[in-house]
Amino acid sequence: MSCICAKGGEEEKEEAKKDDDADSPTPDSSDDDAAIKMVFRRHSLKIYYKQMSMEKGDSNEGYDDDGRVKRTGTLISASAHIITAVIGSGVLSLAWCFGQLGWIAGTASLMVFAVITWFTCLLLSDCYRSPDPVTGTRNYNYMQAVKANLGGLQYKLCGIAQYGILIGATIGYTITAAISMAAIERSNCFHKSGHHKGCHTLNNSYLLIFAIIEIVLSQIPNFHKLSLVSIVATIMSFTYATIGIALSIAKIAEGGHARTSLTGIPVGKDMASVDKMWTTFSAIGDIAFAYSFCPVLLEIQDTLRSSPPENKVMKKASTVGVSASTLFYIICGTLGYAAFGNDAPGNYLTGFGFYEPFWLIDFGNLCIVIHLLGAYQVYIQPFFAFVENWSKEKWPQNKFITREYSLGKYKINVYRLTWRSGYVVLATLVAMIFPFFNSFLGLIGAATFWPLTVYFPIEMYITKAKIKKYSFTWIWMKVLSLACLTVSLVAAAGSIRGLIVSVETFKIFDSVS
């Protein structure tokens, strides 16, 4: 029976081709009518072939249900993307956060924000397709999901928040990577000259090195091609986190009596009550934003195969990613605090909580740089795609924007090459001019944590699930949203204060480690 069906399908294809040839324009036809007829026939025949292939179960079919190239993402690749986005070099600053909050509030904050992020990611995973989470129309990115569920005004606000944090993150990553590269040079200097030497170095050359590598990586055409980059970056993040854990254990084993407490650094002659308040706000904000990968969650989900359903795979990936991140966060935070106590540095690899073995410090910082190279791409690819898609819609006939040139098995688009390289150069220039941009990033993170991680996922769920106003579920979700808004506000206040302090000592093009 299958042979008969296949044979019949081939005959129908031949007839369709004959019909297409018969309907091709002749010299006697009107030019306009002929052009329209040709486009229509070719489009119809393309759809016909695709339907025939699907009916026959053609395994070579290269397109998904929306006509785009078949997605190949899996649970492993999605989990790698998440871990790459979540675990950053900030994991090594958690000891400092524990120093401000203490054992109780530090551990509780990590657990609470892990649960909140995991919960809202589950809600957001069901928004990839609308109205049905399994069979509905795909929303290729966060903004489309908001537009489909909440409308135009909130769609615009979402775009401002999402792309603001993505752009800010890449500039922050540029600065952080340069500091880690400089730390390698300083580590070798300390080993040769002694720990009493300052061994300070200008970061600008390292900023340029990082930028050159990112220009190359930015030519990866889209999020779907980032799997290998994310897997390597994930391995690097686990590696330097493990190095931090091992060094903390070694320091604890050496003995000594690092001062720790249940409530962190006590108020006294070394810490005024006002300073304690600001550092507490800052520490809570750092922990809250440490889990935030919601701005790229739907873009990650859009890389997944359609079977099994994307929302189910994404929920599993979110669980894996948040669980793995939380485990490392707690281990790094608690062991780092036990090793350094209330005197914990902001980052004990770049801030030299450890000096020896110097080669291990070097390797740890190299892992940070490699991880940030991948994390940069995970965060900026959605913005690249947004600008390029908008440009193609605005100027569809512009060959500079649309034409691609084959270079072996690779395709080069001159517009993509030019604009992405220009973006990396501009982001690097900003990092050079404003070496305290991390304070700006903290402010951007504070402003976007609540809307992107909490508000939009909850509001879209309420709309999709048709939750009744003032029902129990509606009330507790609103309370959760309000509590997270409060966290964002106090963290923003702490970031603004840090920004004011940084400006007081600001020197242009003078980023020194």
Side-chain angles (χ1 to χ4, degrees):
M1 180 67 71
S2 61
C3 293
I4 294 173
C5 292
K7 184 177 180 181
E10 293 299 325
E11 291 175 351
E12 288 176 10
K13 284 185 179 181
E14 291 297 326
E15 291 177 5
K17 288 182 179 180
K18 291 178 181 179
D19 291 342
D20 186 53
D21 294 337
D23 288 335
S24 297
T26 64
D28 298 329
S29 302
S30 166
D31 291 341
D32 291 341
D33 292 341
I36 293 171
K37 194 173 185 179
M38 181 181 289
V39 171
F40 178 79
R41 288 296 301 171
R42 287 179 178 174
H43 181 66
S44 300
L45 193 60
K46 182 179 178 181
I47 294 175
Y48 175 81
Y49 287 155
K50 190 175 291 187
Q51 289 174 341
M52 288 297 296
S53 296
M54 292 173 67
E55 289 171 2
K56 289 168 59 182
D58 188 354
S59 60
N60 294 323
E61 176 62 40
Y63 300 92
D64 271 329
D65 55 357
D66 58 348
R68 295 195 174 190
V69 176
K70 187 175 287 293
R71 296 158 176 84
T72 58
T74 63
L75 173 63
I76 293 175
S77 65
S79 300
H81 286 320
I82 292 171
I83 294 172
T84 299
V86 174
I87 298 183
S89 60
V91 68
L92 303 175
S93 68
L94 289 174
W96 178 86
C97 293
F98 269 74
Q100 315 313 309
L101 300 173
W103 290 112
I104 297 176
T107 305
S109 296
L110 283 174
M111 296 302 297
V112 167
F113 286 112
V115 171
I116 291 173
T117 303
W118 172 76
F119 172 69
T120 56
C121 286
L122 298 187
L123 300 184
L124 191 56
S125 298
D126 285 333
C127 298
Y128 174 63
R129 288 181 182 263
S130 298
D132 186 88
V134 177
T135 61
T137 302
R138 297 174 187 266
N139 297 308
Y140 301 116
N141 53 54
Y142 202 128
M143 287 180 65
Q144 286 187 5
V146 171
K147 187 175 184 179
N149 290 282
L150 300 178
L153 177 60
Q154 300 206 52
Y155 160 78
K156 294 177 182 178
L157 295 175
C158 172
I160 294 171
Q162 183 186 13
Y163 296 128
I165 188 61
L166 297 185
I167 293 170
T170 59
I171 299 173
Y173 286 161
T174 302
I175 295 172
T176 305
I179 292 172
S180 289
M181 285 189 274
I184 296 174
E185 180 181 339
R186 296 185 69 200
S187 175
N188 294 332
C189 174
F190 286 134
H191 179 70
K192 293 178 181 178
S193 305
H195 302 168
H196 62 283
K197 294 286 186 178
C199 293
H200 295 295
T201 180
L202 195 64
N203 294 337
N204 288 345
S205 59
Y206 299 112
L207 290 167
L208 292 175
I209 293 172
F210 186 80
I212 291 170
I213 299 173
E214 283 300 347
I215 287 175
V216 176
L217 292 178
S218 291
Q219 303 316 310
I220 296 173
N222 52 52
F223 220 124
H224 303 267
K225 305 297 183 181
L226 281 180
S227 296
L228 179 60
V229 172
S230 283
I231 290 172
V232 172
T234 299
I235 294 172
M236 292 298 101
S237 64
F238 280 130
T239 301
Y240 67 69
T242 302
I243 290 173
I245 292 170
L247 292 173
S248 295
I249 292 174
K251 188 172 181 64
I252 294 170
E254 288 177 359
H257 302 283
R259 288 191 308 154
T260 65
S261 70
L262 296 178
T263 57
I265 300 174
V267 175
K269 63 178 183 178
D270 297 327
M271 173 69 74
S273 58
V274 173
D275 291 334
K276 173 71 173 180
M277 178 186 71
W278 288 119
T279 56
T280 298
F281 287 169
S282 181
I284 292 174
D286 287 351
I287 291 175
F289 310 140
Y291 287 102
S292 183
F293 65 95
C294 283
V296 294
L297 184 142
L298 293 181
E299 283 80 357
I300 294 173
Q301 192 166 343
D302 189 46
T303 67
L304 295 174
R305 297 170 181 168
S306 56
S307 181
E310 302 93 347
N311 65 328
K312 292 184 178 180
V313 177
M314 197 65 207
K315 288 177 181 179
K316 291 180 181 178
S318 297
T319 302
V320 171
V322 173
S323 299
S325 302
T326 302
L327 177 62
F328 265 80
Y329 282 175
I330 289 178
I331 293 174
C332 286
T334 54
L335 289 179
Y337 187 43
F340 295 102
N342 295 334
D343 297 323
N347 181 320
Y348 49 71
L349 285 183
T350 61
F352 291 93
F354 306 100
Y355 291 93
E356 300 292 342
F358 78 99
W359 58 267
L360 189 59
I361 305 300
D362 290 351
F363 181 64
N365 279 298
L366 178 61
C367 290
I368 291 175
V369 174
I370 296 174
H371 170 257
L372 291 177
L373 286 168
Y376 188 112
Q377 290 303 312
V378 169
Y379 269 87
I380 201 57
Q381 281 290 342
F383 183 62
F384 284 162
F386 168 75
V387 172
E388 287 158 21
N389 290 335
W390 177 84
S391 299
K392 289 177 182 178
E393 292 177 3
K394 185 75 172 177
W395 301 287
Q397 305 301 324
N398 191 311
K399 299 300 182 183
F400 173 72
I401 295 175
T402 60
R403 180 176 293 172
E404 292 193 348
Y405 301 90
S406 295
L407 188 64
K409 60 181 180 179
Y410 299 101
K411 290 186 177 181
I412 302 296
N413 177 275
V414 178
Y415 174 66
R416 181 171 64 230
L417 175 64
T418 304
W419 120 256
R420 292 190 179 191
S421 300
Y423 172 84
V424 174
V425 170
L426 182 60
T428 305
L429 184 62
V430 173
M432 287 182 175
I433 295 174
F434 303 109
F436 54 85
F437 192 85
N438 280 341
S439 298
F440 275 123
L441 182 60
L443 181 58
I444 294 171
T448 57
F449 164 73
W450 173 70
L452 295 178
T453 303
V454 182
Y455 174 76
F456 285 126
I458 286 178
E459 292 301 315
M460 285 192 285
Y461 174 78
I462 289 174
T463 301
K464 286 173 67 71
K466 295 180 173 60
I467 303 296
K468 290 184 178 180
K469 197 173 185 178
Y470 302 120
S471 65
F472 175 76
T473 302
W474 185 91
I475 290 174
W476 77 258
M477 282 191 166
K478 291 290 186 179
V479 169
L480 173 62
S481 182
L482 181 61
C484 291
L485 172 60
T486 303
V487 171
S488 282
L489 291 176
V490 298
S495 296
I496 291 172
R497 177 180 179 270
L499 189 60
I500 294 172
V501 172
S502 297
V503 169
E504 292 176 353
T505 58
F506 166 63
K507 292 182 180 179
I508 193 169
F509 291 113
D510 190 31
S511 175
V512 178
S513 291

